[in-house]
Amino acid sequence: MTVHRLRPRREPVDRPRPALNAVPSADALPADRADAKDVPFAVTRISPEARRAAARVFASGWVTTGPETQRFENEFAGYVGAEHAVGVSSCAAALELALRALRLPPGGAVLIPAVTFCGAAQAVLHAGLRPVLVDVDPRTAIPTAATVARAARACGCPRAMMVLHYAGAPAPVAELAQAARLPLTHVVEDAAHALGTSVGDRRVGSLSRATCFSFYATKNLPIGEGGMVTTDDAVLAGLVRRGRLHGMSADAWARDLPGGSWRYTVDEAGLKANMTDVQAAVGRAQLGHLDEWQRRRHTLAARYDAALGQVPGLAPLEPATAGRHARHLYVVRVLPEHGTDRDELISRLAECGIGTSVHFIPLHHMPYFRRTALIPPGGLPGADALFPQLLSLPLYPDLTEQAVDRVCEELTRLGSVAKRTSSAPSAAPVKHGADQAGPPRPDSGPRHSGPRHPDLRQSDLRHSDARHPAPATRRPTGLRTLVIGAGEAGQALARDLAHTPQFGLDPVGFLDDDEAKRTARVIGDLPVLGGLDDTGPVVSAHRVEAVVVAIPGLAADRFRRVTRAAEAAGTCVRYLPSFIAALRRDVVGSDMRAMDVHALIGRAEMHVVSPEAGATVAGRRVLVTGAGGSIGSELCRQVRAFGPSRLFLLDHDESNLHQLELGLYGDSLHVDDVVISDIRDRSRIDQIFRELRPDVVFHAAAHKHLPLLELHPCEAVKTNVRGTENLVRAAAATGTSRFVLISTDKAADPVSVLGATKRLAELIVQQAQLDAPPGTVFSAVRFGNVLGSRGSLLSVLAEQVGSGAQVTVTHPDATRFFMTVEEAVGLVLEAGRMARGGEVLVLDMGRPVRIVDLVREYARAVHVPDVDIRFTGLRPGEKLNETLFAEEERLAHTSHARILAATPVTASAAPIGLLPALYDASERNDTVEVRRVLADLLPGFPAFPSADQRHAGLADPYPDGF
């Protein structure tokens, strides 16, 4: 709870006043005292029965965990409808113990509301896990399915989720778990406010794997301190019992009782967080009054509802789902219509003798959690908008109706006074924009520039926290972009991007080494966040998703340092044409149009890779095959940014390797890490693996041009199938821990040679997993068509549209799945991190896009409204519509919200046994036999292409790439 500084009125010394924001006993505030007009924020009632129970325990001589605690646990479990309850020292301890009992991997991501008590986030960190902040709906103060899904995407692999029933209001637990792609077994409910809450007709306490309650002095069941974990899982209850006493065996608390034993064991880590018998005795007695107190809370809340419904600008929080509210807090939002802001209202009420509080300061407003928690790209606009409006009013069973009326009367009066004051003419007009005089305020931070929360109202944005003011206009889908260079080029670029949302980039600030620019702090409408050496920290602190360099003539080594720092922080660097040339044309943003992929692929570009992905390659020996290709080279750039101990670049094309080496290092002196080899050469591959001993292998080498492989199936088999088997065998023999194959969506129920050979490569990888030693993971990823790769649709379109030639499209109804290079490489890195073995992982790319629609959208983007399209007809091996999963595959969700897994319905090694016949036919270059064997291996694959289409369309440019 956050207690704001108050300014109470001066009183005579002989008339002591109760502390407005402290927790006095009910005895200190007699209800019948006529002159007691002050209204404290919270008052604790300890019933006479509770006092007698505590005295009884003191008299027994046993005051720590004991029989009284066991009785309280049993009675409390019965009250909330749970099988088990375990008493602990506090709700924060309950949360930590419950998370420990889930047996999550160290450092695992846990989704947690951004608006919650700091102790909840500390519990996540103390459990060895990482909090991932989830934005809230300002109308409810509770996360939505959309904000949960966004946070899940940001972390890539949430291991668990903490759901808070804020103020005692029911939260949609199952809906939020589904949005996070988590089972209820990985949900922990923070019910510190929610004793007596129901979601639908089910009481909070047995909805998820574990529910954690608080008995703090101001809670609905006040003890002073204490907490409880309830669960229907006997194993989890046992783990919590041991964990609350240093990990000691469950009966260790009884070792000093008559008949107890000094023998105990410790199997795991724990903490000192047990409940005492004194707390339990008080809790048992208080529990007998709880229903009566709850009825009183509901009566008072209804009185608030009726009175405040007539006060403009005070809006009670709305329900997030159906159910019963525990009424722990009565929270209102102070909207601009009230005429005064929240903090001023708190001070004015205190001067009137009325105590209030705020629940809570958003976690990302606190320096410690900004460093330790993951904040989703785009920020937390809902929490930022809500926080300056939050106000908790007094609500406790000893509060009188007269006190509620007095609070409401003062709120009404103060709002009216503020309106009269604000309507008076001001002495001078306020200047805005460029006309505003004076330097920026010293405490002004960077402007908030995240996408608008889907549930925000306009007033929510206008009155967000002053430390995070929202600009006048925001785009919901732009990547948060850092501009390197605040000179003329950078300013022109930022202006163009800010005024043209379709570029898909949303500038959030500049970096510049010029001391004068850094001293100015703000240039145009954007802050200067530091110098070029601050790239990494600024990217992390401001959740940057893209970096563009806008310094003409920036030295190559300096450019590379900026690039490496940006990529190491998990973002991508956009490569642009010469800014000098752009400025001479007076058009900067138009050169960015190719980056606006939203309209082209029919969905927002996804930032797939999580910061945790770097741990898979950091300090490891990493080998990338096909390193000189479009995907391979981008993969090398991003892998290198995560700091592998060695990065080996393997390709059979020495020119591509040399170019990649220059791009990565700026010279060609790293010859020890450059490997020229053909993956078809088994003895050479074996030698390479024996010498290099790679820990992680990303296999991107392949033949992938669909029409050409229809004419040359033998070559496809030699590279895509036998080459993959050579690599897999060598990896297994030399102890490679992770092997990721890059496949294609054409491998799902293949009808082309490309798809068939890549499907066999997938089967080889899956077979390798069955034979792999413990700790070795073989997996595959399937790509759609990658925009921006060599020979891709976008590059062909640019060439055809730019030259004024006809654009060739196979069929007016042909559809494909499209993804960006960044999404593709992010998927590979995430697969390397999250794969468990034998899966084929696929990016959830939404609905397929009609190729003709993409062509027209691209033409509009480059100002060619009447593009000339010629339909060539489907060629051999082409499908009208691609699929991501085969009919015999089972689709499964993964820990990443946008990555799916395909596993075979029935495992079979039979196709692998027929591979020698396929290899033999390919070595003889027997095209007919190769197709026949492929048809035997893969049912549905055509043994013979249509004769009248065998050479159709090969003269036309064709985009094939993944």
Side-chain angles (χ1 to χ4, degrees), residues 1-6 19-24 40-44 91-92 115-120 164 166 190 192-193 214 216-219 224-225 328-331 346 355-363 366 387 390-396:
M1 179 177 69
T2 303
V3 181
H4 283 253
R5 184 175 63 86
L6 303 178
L20 296 181
N21 287 66
V23 188
F41 172 69
V43 172
T44 298
C91 187
V115 180
T116 189
F117 184 51
C118 60
L164 169 65
Y166 182 87
D190 182 349
H193 301 174
S214 172
Y216 183 69
T218 61
K219 295 299 192 294
E225 283 290 359
H328 166 58
L329 298 171
Y330 192 90
V331 181
I346 288 174
T356 56
S357 189
V358 173
H359 299 79
F360 300 96
I361 300 173
L363 297 176
M366 304 180 195
F387 171 58
L390 282 177
L391 180 62
S392 297
L393 303 178
L395 182 69
Y396 41 90

Side-chain angles (χ1 to χ4, degrees), residues 310-336:
Q310 311 302 317
V311 182
L314 292 181
L317 293 176
E318 300 174 14
T321 190
R324 183 170 178 79
H325 199 308
R327 295 298 180 185
H328 166 58
L329 298 171
Y330 192 90
V331 181
V332 296
R333 297 165 59 207
V334 182
L335 302 177

